[in-house]
Amino acid sequence: MVSKNQELVETGEYLPIMEDFYTLQGEGAHTGKASYFIRIGGCDVGCHWCDVKESWDASKHPVTSIKTLIERIPENVKTVVLTGGEPSSYNLYPLTKLLKQRGFKIHMETSGSNEIRGHVDWICLSPKKLQRPVEKVINNAHELKCIIYNQNDFKFAEEYAAKVKESCELFLQPEWSKSKGIVPQIIHYILKNPKWKISIQTHKFLNIP
């Protein structure tokens, strides 16, 4: 039996929201940009090194009206980042329509495990081995951010660098718990392959969300 909450979420008028907050983007092409983050609960990938595993179970997060959610965004905000969990799991057309009406630039951080159902200005694709991204997201990605946990991940990153469009920005990001050993390897790799740039989780150094 489908619960009332599930019915509400399917329409896209309500979403399971783990948290939403205003901070600086800490990673990738827009590092340092003031952004309002909306973290949607629920993930269909489940990476063992994920640093927000508490987001995985959508049932643990309150089903929230998108109108209520948007009312919490401060007036001075220009950029909204949809993240998770895995935001592509949801119908985001109603939310993104309202955000666009308010004049926001909409970014999404996604593994690409599902086609994106919504109007998004910037797609940051972070592909995962457990569930490969769908072709449409690969083709539309503006930014490719590959997490480097071990040596095999460089080959995985190159696989997707060959698939994204030429204008897509390419980043290698050390998995946080392995940073001390992985960062020198990434630097060495980028010096040999300068199409890549390094992405560091600056928000963790700055001690901000």
Side-chain angles (χ1 to χ4, degrees):
M1 181 179 294
V2 177
S3 70
K4 182 63 175 177
N5 279 356
Q6 287 175 302
E7 290 179 357
L8 292 172
V9 169
E10 284 176 7
T11 68
E13 299 292 337
Y14 288 75
L15 292 167
I17 302 300
M18 176 183 165
E19 57 183 349
D20 54 296
F21 52 90
Y22 191 35
T23 188
L24 303 184
Q25 170 61 273
E27 308 173 2
H30 293 277
T31 295
K33 179 177 287 188
S35 306
Y36 195 85
F37 281 75
I38 297 175
R39 188 180 302 282
I40 306 172
C43 183
D44 58 357
V45 183
C47 302
H48 69 91
W49 42 256
C50 176
D51 55 4
V52 280
K53 290 180 179 178
E54 60 271 30
S55 71
W56 290 1
D57 187 350
S59 68
K60 293 183 177 179
H61 307 296
V63 173
T64 304
S65 162
I66 60 172
K67 292 180 180 178
T68 298
L69 182 62
I70 290 175
E71 287 172 0
R72 300 202 289 244
I73 303 176
E75 289 293 329
N76 63 328
V77 169
K78 304 295 184 185
T79 302
V80 173
V81 180
L82 305 179
T83 187
E86 178 45 67
S88 71
S89 299
Y90 297 95
N91 172 14
L92 298 176
Y93 283 111
L95 173 61
T96 55
K97 180 180 179 180
L98 291 180
L99 289 172
K100 294 305 288 182
Q101 287 174 353
R102 283 272 303 268
F104 296 116
K105 288 289 186 182
I106 305 171
H107 295 191
M108 178 184 286
E109 298 180 351
T110 177
S111 70
S113 57
N114 309 277
E115 289 194 11
I116 294 170
R117 292 175 287 164
H119 306 287
V120 179
D121 299 296
W122 186 271
I123 300 170
C124 174
L125 170 62
S126 184
K128 306 299 188 293
K129 296 174 183 175
L130 292 174
Q131 188 162 334
R132 299 298 183 104
V134 298
E135 185 175 358
K136 191 170 183 179
V137 178
I138 296 170
N139 293 340
N140 291 328
H142 301 90
E143 173 183 357
L144 176 67
K145 185 174 66 184
C146 295
I147 309 304
I148 306 299
Y149 183 81
N150 56 42
Q151 278 291 322
N152 292 331
D153 292 327
F154 289 106
K155 182 178 179 181
F156 181 74
E158 289 293 354
E159 177 185 343
Y160 283 93
K163 294 180 179 181
V164 295
K165 58 190 176 185
E166 188 175 351
S167 61
C168 185
E169 297 191 41
L170 306 178
F171 290 90
L172 300 176
Q173 179 170 298
E175 195 280 319
W176 181 253
S177 70
K178 298 285 186 178
S179 290
K180 187 175 181 179
I182 288 291
V183 166
Q185 295 178 45
I186 291 177
I187 293 171
H188 179 73
Y189 191 87
I190 293 175
L191 290 174
K192 286 190 170 185
N193 302 274
K195 66 184 178 185
W196 293 97
K197 291 182 277 189
I198 192 168
S199 170
I200 300 293
Q201 292 179 293
T202 57
H203 54 292
K204 294 188 177 181
F205 289 102
L206 296 173
N207 196 29
I208 57 176

